[in-house]
Amino acid sequence: MTTQPTFVIVGKLNREYILPPPGLGHPLLDTPGGSLLYAAGGLAVWDQAAGLVGRVGEDYPHQWLRDLDARGFDTRGILTVRDPQNMDLRAFVAYNETHERSQSNVVSHFARRQLTFPKSLLGYQAPDPLRKDSRKPEPASPAALDVPKEYWNVRYVHLCPFDFVSQSQMVSLFKGGSNQTVSLDPSAGYMMPGFWRELRLVLQGVTVFLPSEEEMRALFWGETNDLWEMARKTSEYGPQIVVIKRGTHGQMIYDAAGNHRYEVPAYSARVADMTGIGDAYCGGFLAGLQITNDPLMAGLHGSVSASLKIEGSGPFYPLDVMPGLAEARLRSLKDRSRQV
């Protein structure tokens, strides 16, 4: 693909190790994942013209990148780092019977399920969010210098969660484009009252802000418990649309331009693998916004993408479902959404 893509998605790539709930599917050991791919999969339910920006080491399987090309994605923005100091792309998650996730005690999870511990996970250490300094760029985070010039003026850009410094540099890079839509899914590591000053500056270049309910409550801790009030206050610093992702409770969408408030229910889907559903939602939302230019319809597209992802494993499971299923779910959700 040599033409300018319609969308650009910026995020992290992982080598995933997923243990599903007992009795639900087979373990996934060293498979492609990461927020970048899950967002791309959610977007590709509706449109596959996306350029991808991320970082990998030289040991990242080349076939995985060729597979992305084969799916129609533009991978010019995926940089292979020649000297990847401290860049460990491995990511582990285990789910229990109630779909609660655990990323620690890796060896014990395999032992408990009587599974052979994979040699490729030797030396793996679970990320400790309390030890992360969101004001320092992480080795695996994409950098503004990684972005090909052909992407700079792309109309629709989504930034997946990664460290604050790298995200803020990306916002500075893209917000200069004329009539450019930038959506931002924040990282939980900086969604706290002490980051408000820095975050407000970044939000000036953001069109759509997509935090989870937990992240939003952490940011406004001690100030207010009203989610709509949080959305309104956030919009004062730049975002035209604020989407609060609430898991099984659906989403709250605040459209600042018209002071409209919408509630979108989560589609009642069969839960198989919850990995990446928030990213899939964000990808679907951006595609829906490009298609309809309507915040509510964008939310419905995002909700459908998330509902397809949750029913199977892997970032591109939503693309392998029965033809017409996404459109049918879109019609169903439209009837159940409401303005408040």
Side-chain angles (χ1 to χ4, degrees), residues 10-12 53-55 133-147 157-174 182 184-187 190 195 202 206:
V10 186
K12 284 186 172 183
V53 178
R55 284 185 166 191
D133 185 351
S134 290
R135 291 181 172 88
K136 289 184 179 180
E138 297 174 17
S141 294
L145 291 174
D146 301 344
V147 181
V157 178
H158 175 62
L159 306 179
C160 300
F162 44 95
D163 69 84
F164 181 78
V165 171
S166 301
Q167 276 194 328
S168 62
Q169 291 172 350
M170 288 291 180
V171 172
S172 297
L173 172 68
F174 285 111
V182 177
L184 174 71
D185 188 355
S187 173
Y190 65 76
F195 253 95
V202 172
V206 172

Side-chain angles (χ1 to χ4, degrees), residues 16-62:
E16 287 189 334
Y17 297 77
I18 300 175
L19 299 184
L24 272 182
H26 301 286
L28 297 181
L29 304 178
D30 200 10
T31 58
S35 59
L36 175 62
L37 299 192
Y38 284 104
L43 185 146
V45 170
W46 313 103
D47 192 323
Q48 290 181 288
L52 308 181
V53 178
R55 284 185 166 191
V56 297
E58 290 183 289
D59 61 342
Y60 191 83
H62 293 175

Side-chain angles (χ1 to χ4, degrees), residues 122-307:
L122 288 171
Y124 172 78
Q125 289 188 324
D128 184 351
L130 297 178
R131 290 188 177 182
K132 284 185 179 180
D133 185 351
S134 290
R135 291 181 172 88
K136 289 184 179 180
E138 297 174 17
S141 294
L145 291 174
D146 301 344
V147 181
K149 287 185 178 180
E150 295 86 352
Y151 291 3
W152 288 3
N153 295 313
V154 164
R155 178 73 174 83
Y156 294 89
V157 178
H158 175 62
L159 306 179
C160 300
F162 44 95
D163 69 84
F164 181 78
V165 171
S166 301
Q167 276 194 328
S168 62
Q169 291 172 350
M170 288 291 180
V171 172
S172 297
L173 172 68
F174 285 111
K175 74 176 181 181
S178 61
N179 201 26
Q180 197 165 43
T181 296
V182 177
S183 62
L184 174 71
D185 188 355
S187 173
Y190 65 76
M191 289 291 281
M192 57 186 72
F195 253 95
W196 244 127
R197 182 180 297 178
E198 296 99 321
L199 181 58
R200 283 184 292 197
L201 295 174
V202 172
L203 290 176
Q204 293 175 11
V206 172
T207 318
V208 186
F209 189 53
L210 300 122
S212 68
E213 178 179 355
E214 294 78 14
E215 290 164 345
M216 202 63 151
R217 290 194 183 280
L219 182 64
F220 283 91
W221 184 82
E223 185 174 346
T224 179
N225 289 317
D226 186 335
L227 289 170
W228 288 120
E229 179 67 8
M230 296 177 200
R232 186 192 65 77
K233 286 192 173 185
T234 302
S235 72
E236 291 177 352
Y237 298 102
Q240 299 168 26
I241 304 168
V242 178
V243 181
I244 302 177
K245 306 191 297 285
R246 306 184 66 210
T248 57
H249 298 292
Q251 307 88 41
M252 299 167 65
I253 301 173
Y254 179 67
D255 177 11
N259 192 29
H260 296 142
R261 303 176 179 187
Y262 303 103
E263 289 183 349
V264 177
Y267 188 89
S268 183
R270 173 184 56 84
V271 179
D273 184 350
M274 298 181 68
T275 309
I277 57 172
D279 299 306
Y281 175 89
C282 292
F285 186 97
L286 193 64
L289 194 62
Q290 188 271 336
I291 294 168
T292 68
N293 196 33
D294 180 280
L296 174 58
M297 288 303 298
L300 298 178
H301 282 75
S303 192
V304 170
S305 290
S307 77

Side-chain angles (χ1 to χ4, degrees), residues 316-337:
F316 302 114
Y317 179 84
L319 308 185
D320 298 328
V321 299
M322 183 175 61
L325 182 59
E327 291 75 14
R329 290 188 176 183
L330 189 65
R331 290 191 295 271
S332 173
L333 274 178
K334 189 175 181 181
D335 294 336
R336 294 163 50 208
S337 301

